[in-house]
Amino acid sequence: MRHLRAASDVASARFSLEERFAAVQAEARRSFSRSDSNSGTIFCLVRMMNEEIPNLTAFDEAALDEAFALVERQARGDAAALDGDAAVEAFRLKWLGTKQGRLKEVSARWLKVAPPEAKKALGMRFNALKPVVEGLLDAALGAGPNDAALAAEAIDITLPGTRRLTGAEHPITRTLNEITSVFAALGYSVGVGPEVETDFYNFECMNFPPGHPARDTQDTLVVAGQERRPQRDRLLLRTHTSPVQMRTMESQPPPVRIVIPGKVHRNDAADATHSPIFHQVEGLCVDTNITFSDLKGTLDHAMKALFGSAVKTRFFPSFFPFTEPSADVQISCIFCGGKGCRKCKNSGWIELLGCGMVDPAVFAFAAEKQPGYDPKKISGFAFGMGVERIAMMKYGVSEIGQFYAGDMRFLGQFA
Ligand SMILES: [Zn+2]
């Protein structure tokens, strides 16, 4: 019987089916006088196997899951060991036989003793187990999966799919790219530089000497713990993209035509039109015989390209340390066409950017590394504009914070 018990262990891989049959037949011969009867052998096999169905003592979900998983494992183990048509037929009788099949036994024994409240859960598991066993038989017979198995894995292609949101450029990125592309069409290349800069590049070489009051106009965020360094080596968050002007001139001789888009930082309190982090596009053009007329023509063209050909520009004297002479550029109000409205404070003009001819002092710093920037031989202009301000005008946004809030209801309008 020790041998028989081992043979009846359906999960056991140690005995082939023939060995099991031989053992069962031997037992059948001892138990039944009809020793030659094949049905007797199978009947005996079924009786043996059915004894492995445990009696259910608990009917909670976990216990039912475990019990059904055990039966399914046994069926799969049986099916995996099948070889030959006779074995397949034996499998069919053992598991799906209408009188003594194991499923019949499971249904009869477990359902019978189940308390009424557990019958539904039990029935559902039984209904799921049956197509699995039938599928195993079909697979053994060389057929494909049965209808129930197919139905279980069917996909309803008429159901609505998961909709993915369309990706789109952030309005700031889009505006930045628009400005850049206007100048790219004029032959400008694009330059970038570090956001953590030295005092030298951010201020000194841009003609903001140490202690110069112009530094106070750019409330600067400095990196802590820099006191031991010489002033020009101390690190800070760049307050404008101008340092990239110098980095570009140091790396290449004239002529230069470059636009510099990028993020800048100032210790400004956030309000409707200010943010401590914002974006600038700066431009630099250096060559022989560059004049203020070139600057005016370039910026007039750029403003028309950005805001429409009806836009007019005008230049007012101003001051920036790194340009001389310097100018503020105003464009005719794009909202009222110059008649005067609330947006332009009834002036008909909107101030948009700063510009000027590059100060010879800046060229002198560049000439330390690139002698070609001799202020006696070359000249150039520079300009800079705030990207947020232009984006707010173009898209009618009144709160700068909306660009950074990450609110999809706002950003979705630009998709
Ligand atoms: Zn206006």
Side-chain angles (χ1 to χ4, degrees):
M1 275 312 281
R2 193 168 57 84
H3 186 186
L4 270 175
R5 217 174 285 127
S8 65
D9 179 354
V10 290
S12 166
R14 286 183 298 156
F15 297 94
S16 72
L17 203 74
E18 281 89 344
E19 284 174 310
R20 272 189 246 168
F21 265 108
V24 168
Q25 270 177 326
E27 173 64 14
R29 276 189 210 102
R30 281 196 290 278
S31 308
F32 302 92
S33 53
R34 309 177 346 234
S35 58
D36 291 335
S37 161
N38 203 34
S39 66
T41 306
I42 291 165
F43 170 74
C44 173
L45 181 71
V46 167
R47 293 294 313 163
M48 295 291 308
M49 298 299 179
N50 280 354
E51 280 163 14
E52 294 161 23
I53 293 177
N55 283 322
L56 277 185
T57 49
F59 293 88
D60 57 291
E61 298 274 325
L64 290 179
D65 282 343
E66 196 185 325
F68 274 93
L70 173 72
V71 175
E72 186 178 332
R73 268 203 309 281
Q74 289 176 344
R76 288 188 185 280
D78 273 8
L82 289 180
D83 61 344
D85 292 347
V88 173
E89 177 59 13
F91 176 84
R92 188 187 71 77
L93 281 171
K94 173 183 167 184
W95 283 94
L96 299 162
T98 46
K99 289 206 174 92
Q100 279 92 17
R102 297 203 72 188
L103 291 187
K104 179 89 181 164
E105 183 84 3
V106 166
S107 153
R109 264 206 309 169
W110 289 0
L111 269 174
K112 202 188 290 172
V113 297
E117 65 273 15
K119 281 197 193 312
K120 189 183 170 196
L122 223 155
M124 278 168 57
R125 284 168 177 75
F126 183 79
N127 287 340
L129 175 64
K130 197 175 176 197
V132 170
V133 177
E134 286 170 347
L136 289 170
L137 179 65
D138 286 347
L141 287 168
N146 60 8
D147 288 351
L150 282 176
E153 63 186 43
I155 297 166
D156 185 353
I157 59 167
T158 63
L159 288 171
T162 309
R163 196 172 163 192
R164 290 171 200 277
L165 293 172
T166 313
E169 279 179 330
H170 189 278
I172 294 297
T173 310
R174 184 191 292 184
T175 308
L176 206 134
N177 288 342
E178 272 177 40
I179 299 168
T180 306
S181 63
V182 165
F183 289 98
L186 293 171
Y188 283 67
S189 51
V190 176
V192 289
E195 282 177 47
V196 179
E197 265 295 3
T198 61
D199 184 280
F200 175 76
Y201 281 109
N202 195 77
F203 286 128
E204 191 176 340
C205 74
M206 285 289 115
N207 203 24
F208 296 74
H212 193 283
R215 290 188 175 213
D216 294 345
T217 63
Q218 302 189 357
D219 207 350
T220 310
L221 294 158
V222 299
V223 176
Q226 305 278 303
E227 293 76 13
R228 287 191 184 168
R229 292 184 164 193
Q231 166 119 21
R232 58 160 56 187
D233 294 338
R234 291 180 195 170
L235 297 174
L236 46 81
L237 297 183
R238 69 179 180 190
T239 55
H240 48 184
T241 45
S242 309
V244 187
Q245 287 189 24
M246 185 56 65
R247 290 183 175 277
T248 306
M249 287 192 283
E250 283 183 350
S251 65
Q252 66 176 88
V256 164
R257 270 180 297 184
I258 192 166
V259 273
I260 303 146
K263 200 181 285 174
V264 301
H265 307 255
R266 291 188 195 180
N267 188 22
D268 287 342
D271 62 23
T273 55
H274 291 85
S275 158
I277 301 172
F278 58 102
H279 297 77
Q280 281 188 339
V281 175
E282 187 132 337
L284 174 70
C285 172
V286 183
D287 206 339
T288 51
N289 297 319
I290 297 287
T291 67
F292 203 91
S293 305
D294 299 313
L295 169 60
K296 284 185 77 174
T298 301
L299 291 182
D300 188 67
H301 167 82
M303 293 304 111
K304 285 178 165 61
L306 283 171
F307 295 105
S309 56
V311 160
K312 293 193 276 288
T313 51
R314 63 178 187 178
F315 291 68
F316 279 84
S318 183
F319 170 79
F320 303 106
F322 40 97
T323 48
E324 180 62 36
S326 306
D328 284 327
V329 183
Q330 297 182 349
I331 64 167
S332 55
C333 179
I334 59 168
F335 302 103
C336 62
K339 287 189 203 76
C341 68
R342 200 169 55 85
K343 293 255 172 73
C344 60
K345 300 189 181 88
N346 285 314
S347 69
W349 295 90
I350 293 174
E351 195 176 306
L352 208 56
L353 68 158
C355 64
M357 302 306 290
V358 178
D359 194 299
V362 174
F363 282 140
F365 278 107
E368 287 175 13
K369 285 193 179 159
Q370 289 282 355
Y373 291 96
D374 180 349
K376 292 191 188 71
K377 292 178 183 151
I378 48 103
S379 56
F381 63 77
F383 55 87
M385 59 194 97
V387 178
E388 275 80 353
R389 183 159 158 71
I390 293 176
M392 287 168 83
M393 277 180 60
K394 275 182 85 92
Y395 299 119
V397 176
S398 53
E399 277 278 341
I400 196 171
Q402 288 189 298
F403 288 128
Y404 318 116
D407 188 336
M408 291 303 288
R409 292 169 301 179
F410 172 76
L411 297 173
Q413 300 173 88
F414 302 93

